[in-house]
Amino acid sequence: MSVDPRLSINQATIKHADLETALRVTADAGIQAIGLWREPVNEVGLDVAAQMLADSGLRFTTHCRGGFFTLPEGPERVAALDDNRRAIEETATLAAAGADGSTAVLVLVAGGLPAGSRDLIGARERVRDAIGALAPFAEEAGVTLAIEPLHPMYASDRAVVSTLGQALDIAADFDSAVVGAAVDTFHIWWDPQVLDQIARAGREGRIATYQVCDWKTPLAADVLLSRHYTGDGVIDFGSLTKAVIATGYDRDIEVEIFNADIWADAPEHVVRRTAETFGSAVSPHLR
């Protein structure tokens, strides 16, 4: 099987694989790039993780995740910002360890409403303020902060930023090399403005990463775990991918899947299946 050279496996797709296994099965499948998550990196330690990544020969595409910025002023917010600074440092180190073509991108999930709060507008402003506090640190480290809008069903508990337009409005206050957006098909496919907003993101130089997976109903009881292989659901990867490519986006494309059945499968099979479905659902629209 020929594997698309732009395919990257986001480590969440093989969540239960440790870092060593994730790197090995990805490379063994002929996939050239990987996006990592902080928890498995921190399990082995950053220096060890960076060496393992370097030894794998894989490109590094993103680090997941930073964010959770909606807390009001106080010790918890200070701790969250400190943790994001550590995440920025991790991103820079891993990007430097990855193969040529690696990208220093930290994906940010904004955070939901604080307990007891109904102030959605205020929560979004605190996201903007937090990114303002982190942007100089990210710029110094050479890291791009990628604001990821999440589907509105996650607005209360995970991300008060629900559309690509909202993410771009926040990013507009900052240099495009420092703050961009993550374009994830699962979260934005439904948006009537999505093609216009992808074009806008391209004009503004804000597409830091393009991530794909599919949407299929009925949703899982835990809606977080409702992502599917590309082509198994209803998302039109043709229109979305062509819109992203039309902006000049030339980076790798991550497959990020949260699905309990897929997680229960052998990681070797998951990465092969990911490559196959990407090849049929996404690759034709890259040419």
Side-chain angles (χ1 to χ4, degrees):
M1 181 190 70
S2 176
V3 177
D4 195 305
R6 293 182 70 175
L7 168 62
S8 174
I9 292 288
N10 184 288
Q11 195 174 1
T13 303
I14 45 175
K15 180 180 174 65
H16 298 315
D18 60 21
L19 180 59
E20 180 182 12
T21 302
L23 294 168
R24 174 178 54 80
V25 300
T26 299
D28 286 352
I31 297 164
Q32 299 179 22
I34 192 166
L36 298 181
W37 275 66
R38 297 188 66 199
E39 292 82 359
V41 165
N42 290 327
E43 273 181 14
V44 300
L46 179 58
D47 291 343
V48 172
Q51 187 60 57
M52 291 168 65
L53 175 63
D55 292 344
S56 76
L58 296 170
R59 292 188 298 273
F60 172 78
T61 49
T62 67
H63 202 33
C64 292
R65 62 197 174 185
F68 295 91
F69 296 136
T70 53
L71 291 165
E73 291 299 332
E76 290 183 65
R77 183 174 176 84
V78 170
L81 289 172
D82 286 345
D83 188 53
N84 274 271
R85 292 184 183 95
R86 286 190 292 274
I88 290 168
E89 292 172 343
E90 293 166 14
T91 305
T93 298
L94 293 166
D100 288 349
S102 294
T103 49
V105 174
L106 175 63
V107 176
L108 302 182
V109 174
L113 287 172
S117 173
R118 294 181 173 84
D119 183 11
L120 188 58
I121 294 171
R124 289 186 182 128
E125 286 305 311
R126 288 192 292 277
V127 173
R128 187 189 305 270
D129 292 344
I131 292 173
L134 294 171
F137 191 79
E139 182 173 19
E140 185 176 345
V143 170
T144 300
L145 305 174
I147 305 168
E148 181 172 20
L150 267 57
H151 189 280
M153 65 183 172
Y154 300 116
S156 63
D157 65 338
R158 291 188 177 274
V160 297
V161 177
S162 301
T163 68
L164 184 53
Q166 288 174 332
L168 295 174
D169 287 348
I170 294 172
D173 287 347
F174 308 97
D175 187 290
S176 61
V178 181
V179 182
V183 177
D184 185 323
T185 58
F186 180 82
H187 293 303
I188 64 171
W189 72 274
W190 59 274
D191 183 353
Q193 301 298 318
V194 67
L195 297 181
D196 289 341
Q197 292 301 330
I198 289 172
R200 173 190 169 192
R203 288 193 304 272
E204 297 175 3
R206 301 282 182 185
I207 303 180
T209 182
Y210 180 41
Q211 299 177 329
V212 296
C213 72
D214 219 334
W215 175 291
K216 182 167 69 172
T217 48
L219 299 177
D222 181 350
V223 293
L224 184 65
L225 307 183
S226 292
R227 294 166 170 247
H228 296 268
Y229 290 115
T230 55
D232 284 0
V234 301
I235 292 179
D236 178 9
F237 292 101
S239 65
L240 295 171
T241 300
K242 288 175 182 176
V244 170
I245 298 305
T247 70
Y249 181 85
D250 59 0
R251 295 180 172 186
D252 294 314
I253 300 168
E254 288 188 3
V255 174
E256 183 184 49
I257 300 174
F258 292 72
N259 182 300
D261 291 336
I262 291 172
W263 287 347
D265 198 357
E268 294 87 350
H269 179 258
V270 172
V271 295
R272 288 196 302 271
R273 178 72 178 148
T274 299
E276 291 169 2
T277 53
F278 185 93
S280 57
V282 180
S283 295
H285 310 295
L286 300 177
R287 295 185 279 273

